[in-house]
Amino acid sequence: MPIRAPRPSRPNALQRSREAFARAPLAVALMLAGMAAGAQAQSLVELYQAARGYDAAYLAAKAQADSTEYKAAQARGQRLPQIGLKGSIYRQHFDSDLELTTAQRAALAATGTNSNNYSITSKSLALQARQSLFNAELSAIIDQADQSLIAADADLKTAEDDLLVRLTQAYFDVLAAQDVLSTAQANKAALAEQLASAKRNFEVGNATITDTREAQARHDLATAQEIAAQNDVQVKSAALDQLVGRTNVQPAGLMTPVMLPPLQPATAEEWVSLTPNSAAIRKAQVGLEYAKLETTRAKAGHLPTADLVASVSKTDITGSGSATVKASDGTNSSIGVEVNVPVFAGFATQNKIREALALEEKSERDLDNAKRTVTLATRQAFFGVQSGQAQVKALEAAESSAKLALEATQLGYRVGVRVNKDVLDAQTALASTQKDLYKARYDVIVATMKLRQASGSLKPDDLETLNRLLVAR
């Protein structure tokens, strides 16, 4: 029956294991620094400027906003005079098969013509101008175009906020993956030392084969975890590179000791008070205003329109053949007011008004829904950040406790009151706690940005605040 070794014959081996576990994070950090040699760490602000000029989703939203400005200019242009130049030329030829009487032939002979066939060429050139004096529908169309500009600005703000959050997420995803890799390699190095110690103790008969096999199993698992962590670093790095349009982007790590800034404002209600600036609410408000203008536009179908109309035309007519055809030319000019009064349109106007009123009510409900949705999302995001901050503090305490537990377990192993498996469990628990702690810190940072996005208070300057948490380049 296997018995536990009372005490290892070579206590220095466990001491070396403990020191190796303590040195491993530094060694891994130096290795990662070596991998980034020649590639300077890049800040969030620098990468954001690169992403603004490369990210397809943001550039598409920007192009859409630009097109809306031109569309609004088209609507306003209908208030300006509409001037057109019109020209025409016509050639008319007439052949008659009627037999002329003797008297008609005599009359044509007197004029030097012996047939009743003729040709006419008519040329005209006209300049026409129209200026709207009163058009209620046109006024509503122009106001709708102005509202479309506000909606386009809200859409662009949404795209900008989305880019900020996606960049922050991708940036800290890389840092989190690197930390996980560092922890996995440190854990593997410490387990390798423990495996070597177990083998030496087994060789001298102070430990059972079970200790060696347990240490080997933990070491093999750590190797698999290291491979997975390496792959995750590559995947996350590729995502960040694609977002900013660069290769081998090297994010700057968090300064140590890590001190996450307190959440300001400190209450959920203060964050909710910022939500009227949310792009989603602003766009819903625009939708309501647009619907009201659509009702006004529909009602304008009952109103008259008045235009100032002016034209100048010159006509030149030449002919040949019949004596009755004479050459002539002249200029015609006119100016006046044209009024159109709708009388009956088959109830189309009344039905348009009813449709517009129904859509106006829908827009009111959409605005209410947007306000409620944004308020709920802001509260949820706030509580998520609060919970994340508390979790970080708890994991920091857990990390300290895990380190002390590992030291105590190693000491107990040296004096014979703990077995090799206890040391392996303590090392694994420390590595797992550190992974959770690193991830929780990055999750809080990203969640804070998402809270600002939900409340409508996110802006590019917030990246400067995050930059102050990073190691200076």
Side-chain angles (χ1 to χ4, degrees):
M1 180 177 181
I3 58 172
R4 183 175 59 194
R7 182 175 180 178
S9 61
R10 299 176 62 182
N12 288 337
L14 284 179
Q15 182 66 26
R16 287 197 302 271
S17 174
R18 177 183 174 186
E19 293 173 353
F21 190 78
R23 292 194 306 267
L26 176 61
V28 174
L30 293 175
M31 184 199 71
L32 291 176
M35 291 171 57
Q40 191 178 29
Q42 295 162 307
S43 70
L44 273 166
V45 173
E46 179 184 351
L47 293 179
Y48 175 65
Q49 295 304 324
R52 279 173 61 93
Y54 182 79
D55 184 66
Y58 174 77
L59 293 176
K62 188 174 183 300
Q64 181 65 42
D66 292 341
S67 71
T68 305
E69 293 183 6
Y70 298 126
K71 187 173 183 179
Q74 294 174 41
R76 289 190 291 267
Q78 297 182 61
R79 276 281 176 83
L80 301 176
Q82 310 296 308
I83 302 175
L85 185 64
K86 179 180 179 181
S88 64
I89 179 170
Y90 297 98
R91 174 74 173 175
Q92 182 180 1
H93 182 73
F94 180 76
D95 288 328
S96 176
D97 295 334
L98 296 177
E99 292 291 337
L100 299 178
T101 64
T102 303
Q104 289 173 330
R105 292 181 184 279
L108 289 174
T111 61
T113 306
N114 57 6
S115 71
N116 62 346
N117 299 330
Y118 64 88
S119 298
I120 297 176
T121 301
S122 176
K123 303 175 184 177
S124 68
L125 184 64
L127 183 66
Q128 299 174 333
R130 179 181 292 269
Q131 171 65 57
S132 175
L133 299 178
F134 176 77
N135 191 323
E137 182 180 5
L138 178 57
S139 298
I141 290 174
I142 294 173
D143 291 340
Q144 284 180 325
D146 292 338
Q147 291 297 319
S148 296
L149 286 176
I150 301 176
D153 181 68
D155 287 337
L156 183 59
K157 181 64 167 60
T158 299
E160 184 180 73
D161 290 353
D162 180 65
L163 178 59
L164 284 167
V165 171
R166 285 190 290 120
L167 174 63
T168 304
Q169 183 78 65
Y171 191 93
F172 289 106
D173 277 350
V174 174
L175 292 180
Q178 289 176 348
D179 284 348
V180 169
L181 175 59
S182 174
T183 303
Q185 291 174 329
N187 185 49
K188 178 184 174 182
L191 292 175
E193 286 290 336
Q194 193 66 25
L195 174 60
S197 174
K199 289 180 177 179
R200 287 191 294 268
N201 289 333
F202 176 71
E203 290 172 355
V204 297
N206 291 327
T208 66
I209 190 61
T210 302
D211 291 340
T212 303
R213 289 174 177 173
E214 286 179 345
Q216 183 66 57
R218 295 295 181 92
H219 183 268
D220 293 342
L221 177 60
T223 301
Q225 292 173 339
E226 179 188 16
I227 294 172
Q230 289 172 340
N231 178 70
D232 194 45
V233 169
Q234 293 176 337
V235 171
K236 296 300 194 306
S237 296
L240 179 59
D241 289 349
Q242 178 176 315
L243 181 59
V244 301
R246 297 183 178 181
T247 57
N248 195 28
V249 174
Q250 299 296 328
L254 292 176
M255 290 188 297
T256 53
V258 179
M259 298 293 294
L260 297 179
L263 187 59
Q264 293 294 335
T267 66
E269 294 306 318
E270 289 178 289
W271 282 100
V272 170
S273 67
L274 301 175
T275 55
N277 295 324
S278 168
I281 293 180
R282 286 169 53 202
K283 189 170 182 180
Q285 289 173 333
V286 168
L288 177 57
E289 293 300 323
Y290 196 95
K292 290 180 178 179
L293 290 169
E294 190 65 27
T295 302
T296 302
R297 182 177 173 182
K299 291 179 179 179
H302 287 308
L303 301 177
T305 62
D307 297 317
L308 178 64
V309 181
S311 66
V312 176
S313 63
K314 181 175 179 58
T315 304
D316 181 27
I317 302 175
T318 59
S320 62
S322 174
T324 59
V325 179
K326 298 180 180 180
S328 65
D329 62 77
T331 300
N332 179 48
S333 61
S334 64
I335 185 171
V337 176
E338 181 181 296
V339 178
N340 293 311
V341 181
V343 178
F344 180 70
F347 302 107
T349 302
Q350 290 90 332
N351 288 319
K352 285 182 180 179
I353 294 174
R354 294 189 184 101
E355 178 190 9
L357 288 172
L359 292 176
E360 184 177 332
E361 182 180 358
K362 174 185 178 298
S363 297
E364 290 178 353
R365 303 288 81 80
D366 288 341
L367 177 57
D368 291 340
N369 183 60
K371 289 179 178 179
R372 295 166 186 170
T373 300
V374 170
T375 298
L376 177 60
T378 300
R379 292 183 188 277
Q380 290 175 333
F382 174 81
F383 294 133
V385 174
Q386 268 195 335
S387 175
Q389 289 176 329
Q391 187 178 18
V392 167
K393 291 181 180 179
L395 287 171
E396 287 174 345
E399 182 190 29
S400 299
S401 299
K403 288 179 179 179
L404 294 175
L406 175 60
E407 293 175 357
T409 303
Q410 289 174 331
L411 178 60
Y413 182 67
R414 288 197 299 272
V415 299
V417 297
R418 289 297 184 96
V419 295
N420 184 62
K421 184 179 183 301
D422 295 333
V423 178
L424 296 175
D425 289 341
Q427 289 175 342
T428 303
L430 175 59
S432 177
T433 302
Q434 288 176 331
K435 290 178 184 178
D436 293 340
L437 172 59
Y438 300 151
K439 184 179 184 302
R441 284 172 177 164
Y442 296 128
D443 286 346
V444 167
I445 294 174
V446 175
T448 302
M449 294 291 283
K450 290 182 177 179
L451 171 59
R452 295 187 182 279
Q453 180 188 27
S455 65
S457 61
L458 183 63
K459 53 187 180 298
D461 292 344
D462 292 326
L463 294 181
E464 291 287 357
T465 303
L466 297 185
N467 266 348
R468 289 193 283 271
L469 302 176
L470 305 177
V471 177
R473 292 181 297 164

